[in-house]
Amino acid sequence: MGRRLIRIVIPGALLLFALWYGSYYTTILVWELRKLFSWIWLPVLLGLPWVIRPLVLRGRASAGGTAVHVLGGVSVVAGLVLGVCWLVYGAYLQDRAYMERTTTVTEPVPDLAARSPYVVGRAQAAPHLGDVTGEIADITYLPDSDRFATLVERRGWLAGYEVGLVQEVPLGSGGRSQQRCEFEVDTADARIGGWFGHNLGRKISDRQRWVRFDADDVYVTCRADGTPVVVVPLKRQTGILVVTERPAGTALYDGRTGRLTITTDTAAVPGASYPLSLAARQREATAAVGSFSDWWFERSGWDASEDGANEGNESDFTLRYRDGTGSAYVTPLTPQGEASSVVAVSTVPTRHQGSSLAPLTVHRLDPTWASPKAIVALIKAEYRDVCCYNDDRVFEVAPTGGSSWTATIGSEQNIRYRVEGRGQIGGREVTCLKAADGALIRCAYAAPGSPEEQELKRREEDKRKTETPAAPPGTGDLSAYTPEQLAELNRRLSEEINRRLKKT
């Protein structure tokens, strides 16, 4: 008996120790099993009689065995049917769980600051990396500093990151400040998806078990002293029968010392601390805003606008509030179905304190917008002299607050113009062409009393004053005229004499 116990206890203890020591793989295993259990618990529970049937049949009469056999078969069939039903209804409950912090309002979207399109920031990363030999792993917009960050992986299986690049891609400015920070490859040799001890995810699990992350949420920043910092927003699981994710702080990986710090203090994070993937999941869950039947037949909720105009960045724009109070993930929303007009705009803060979901606010628009594709067609029709030639095209049509949107025009290497508009494109609302830096050029139609109309009138008045010389101080004394006024008077006198001679 003692030997048999030893044979069972020792291998079991070694197995438990190996699972506990392998924190990275046990975390992945627990995450996947927990999600799997939330879907299959019902059919497993109802199928237990079928599993235990052979045990019950031992030592029993055939009649009793037949009854258990029938019970087991019925349980399996019921388990399969109810399991399929739970798969459907459980997905609806999961969406409802993600909607616990969602509110729908009719208030306008707060004013948002325009920025360079994401595809432009991505295109301008590679030319500024110089002699870097690695591969670009991620490009992220940093709203706090209004810059784009590029994270570059070092080539090789047992290697980490090579360099981080934070560059300014301004609208309408020739100067592009940039900061390049190098990783210490000997001490900071881990990266997301690395091998063995060079796996940053393994290091995070060693420090804090049961948290995971999305690789697309990871980004880099550069400190003032040139130290690169890899920021990894973390997530945790919650729930048993309905399993969802919640924020779990942020991991900061020092690119010089290799030190890993896990914090829940958003002030310590140099950029966005709330996972973008979690914000996107909350937005997708708005399909469950109505009843189960509405969710099943796709009669409720909203989708991100996907008509091709914002190709490369169709949803979750990271934008700063114009008053400097923070930033948000912003997405134009269309109703489910064939409609393509933008009827709402969702916002989720990029910074969030605590372990609960960040609030998602759906701002209903009145009036609604035309689709981004229709807006692009309008821009090409009304401002055909500036759009679009050679490599120029219309980039992101991004919401900028209230009922306004901003579209940028140019190439991936040079943003030349922006078009700002409000409301439906078929109405009398204003659409104005501006230089990339925001200087007003002209408007297709300036609404009476609007700031654009006042600005255009002021410019016209200034132009008229500069083109028309001032009236002379008197008509009797020519000595008071300036040389320019005398030349203008002589020109007008000659034209009048010629005109009268032609009549005679």
Side-chain angles (χ1 to χ4, degrees):
M1 182 66 181
R3 292 182 178 179
R4 183 178 299 177
L5 184 62
I6 292 176
R7 291 175 182 175
I8 296 175
V9 171
I10 292 180
L14 292 176
L15 177 61
L16 291 176
F17 176 77
L19 290 175
W20 179 256
Y21 182 75
S23 58
Y24 179 61
Y25 296 107
T26 55
T27 296
I28 296 176
L29 181 64
V30 168
W31 269 64
E32 298 305 320
L33 288 178
R34 192 170 178 178
K35 289 189 293 185
L36 181 63
F37 175 76
S38 68
W39 299 120
I40 68 173
W41 69 273
L42 185 58
V44 169
L45 180 64
L46 295 177
L48 282 178
W50 179 265
V51 176
I52 65 175
R53 179 181 62 85
L55 300 177
V56 178
L57 284 176
R58 291 179 182 178
R60 291 201 174 188
S62 60
T66 302
V68 174
H69 181 83
V70 172
L71 178 61
V74 171
S75 298
V76 169
V77 174
L80 292 175
V81 173
L82 293 177
V84 173
C85 295
W86 173 253
L87 285 176
V88 177
Y89 191 68
Y92 170 72
L93 293 180
Q94 190 178 64
D95 282 352
R96 293 293 299 178
Y98 277 113
M99 279 194 60
E100 68 178 25
R101 298 293 305 278
T102 299
T103 56
T104 303
V105 300
T106 56
E107 300 172 358
V109 183
D111 290 336
L112 299 162
R115 61 156 174 79
S116 294
Y118 174 81
V119 290
V120 174
R122 181 179 60 189
Q124 295 195 17
H128 295 93
L129 288 175
D131 58 354
V132 174
T133 59
E135 302 289 340
I136 294 178
D138 178 80
I139 297 175
T140 302
Y141 175 69
L142 305 178
D144 292 354
S145 57
D146 191 21
R147 283 168 169 77
F148 286 87
T150 304
L151 183 60
V152 180
E153 291 181 352
R154 184 176 175 83
R155 292 178 181 267
W157 288 0
L158 305 178
Y161 294 108
E162 183 174 358
V163 68
L165 174 68
V166 177
Q167 60 175 343
E168 182 184 13
V169 186
L171 280 169
S173 174
R176 289 180 171 85
S177 63
Q178 54 185 269
Q179 183 182 10
R180 181 169 145 177
C181 42
E182 307 281 347
F183 283 79
E184 289 291 343
V185 297
D186 295 329
T187 56
D189 57 356
R191 73 185 187 205
I192 300 298
W195 289 66
F196 307 112
H198 302 273
N199 191 320
L200 184 54
R202 182 192 297 271
K203 294 181 179 294
I204 293 173
S205 296
D206 290 341
R207 290 290 306 276
Q208 185 170 337
R209 197 181 291 258
W210 319 131
V211 297
R212 294 194 69 187
F213 54 86
D214 193 303
D216 293 335
D217 296 338
V218 180
Y219 62 93
V220 67
T221 63
C222 295
R223 293 175 180 164
D225 61 356
T227 301
V229 178
V230 179
V231 182
V232 185
L234 303 175
K235 298 183 288 186
R236 62 183 178 89
Q237 282 184 326
T238 182
I240 298 176
L241 302 183
V242 178
V243 178
T244 56
E245 297 176 350
R246 297 292 187 274
T250 307
L252 305 176
Y253 183 62
D254 192 302
R256 291 286 176 84
T257 64
R259 179 184 177 186
L260 181 67
T261 304
I262 296 179
T263 179
T264 57
D265 182 12
T266 57
V269 181
S273 62
Y274 194 73
L276 176 60
S277 59
L278 194 53
R281 183 65 183 88
Q282 289 179 254
R283 172 179 49 77
E284 293 169 358
T286 56
V289 68
S291 64
F292 173 74
S293 61
D294 291 335
W295 175 84
W296 175 252
F297 292 105
E298 298 183 351
R299 296 188 303 232
S300 63
W302 304 273
D303 290 327
S305 176
E306 297 178 352
D307 63 1
N310 288 337
E311 183 179 357
N313 190 32
E314 296 174 335
S315 62
D316 305 311
F317 298 96
T318 305
L319 300 173
R320 295 175 297 134
Y321 290 119
R322 196 168 295 176
D323 58 6
T325 56
S327 55
Y329 302 124
V330 185
T331 301
L333 301 175
T334 63
Q336 295 201 62
E338 298 297 326
S340 60
S341 59
V342 177
V343 299
V345 174
S346 67
T347 60
V348 180
T350 61
R351 287 179 178 270
H352 177 64
Q353 193 77 26
S355 57
S356 62
L357 291 174
L360 182 147
T361 305
V362 178
H363 299 266
R364 298 298 302 264
L365 300 177
D366 186 18
T368 60
W369 301 354
S371 68
K373 187 175 182 179
I375 291 175
V376 172
L378 170 74
I379 292 173
K380 292 181 177 180
E382 290 189 339
Y383 306 106
R384 63 185 64 186
D385 56 329
V386 298
C387 180
C388 297
Y389 304 98
N390 300 324
D391 294 331
D392 288 359
R393 64 187 179 96
V394 180
F395 288 105
E396 296 172 347
V397 179
T400 51
S403 60
S404 62
W405 47 262
T406 297
T408 46
I409 302 174
S411 66
E412 293 181 346
Q413 300 299 327
N414 183 26
I415 299 298
R416 302 175 58 203
Y417 304 99
R418 70 169 88 168
V419 176
E420 297 180 357
R422 290 194 295 269
Q424 283 282 1
I425 61 175
R428 298 286 285 171
E429 289 77 9
V430 62
T431 61
C432 291
L433 176 69
K434 297 185 177 182
D437 60 0
L440 181 63
I441 298 177
R442 69 176 186 272
C443 294
Y445 171 76
S450 65
E452 291 81 7
E453 183 196 41
Q454 297 175 10
E455 174 65 15
L456 291 174
K457 285 184 176 180
R458 186 190 63 81
R459 288 191 175 193
E460 186 66 25
E461 183 66 21
D462 292 343
K463 181 179 179 180
R464 186 183 63 79
K465 290 180 178 180
T466 56
E467 291 180 351
T468 303
T475 57
D477 187 7
L478 295 180
S479 62
Y481 283 72
T482 64
E484 291 79 8
Q485 291 172 341
L486 287 173
E488 176 64 18
L489 183 61
N490 182 60
R491 182 188 65 80
R492 293 171 61 187
L493 180 61
S494 299
E495 290 178 353
E496 181 63 20
I497 292 174
N498 292 333
R499 185 182 65 82
R500 295 188 181 187
L501 289 175
K502 289 179 179 180
K503 287 184 179 183
T504 61

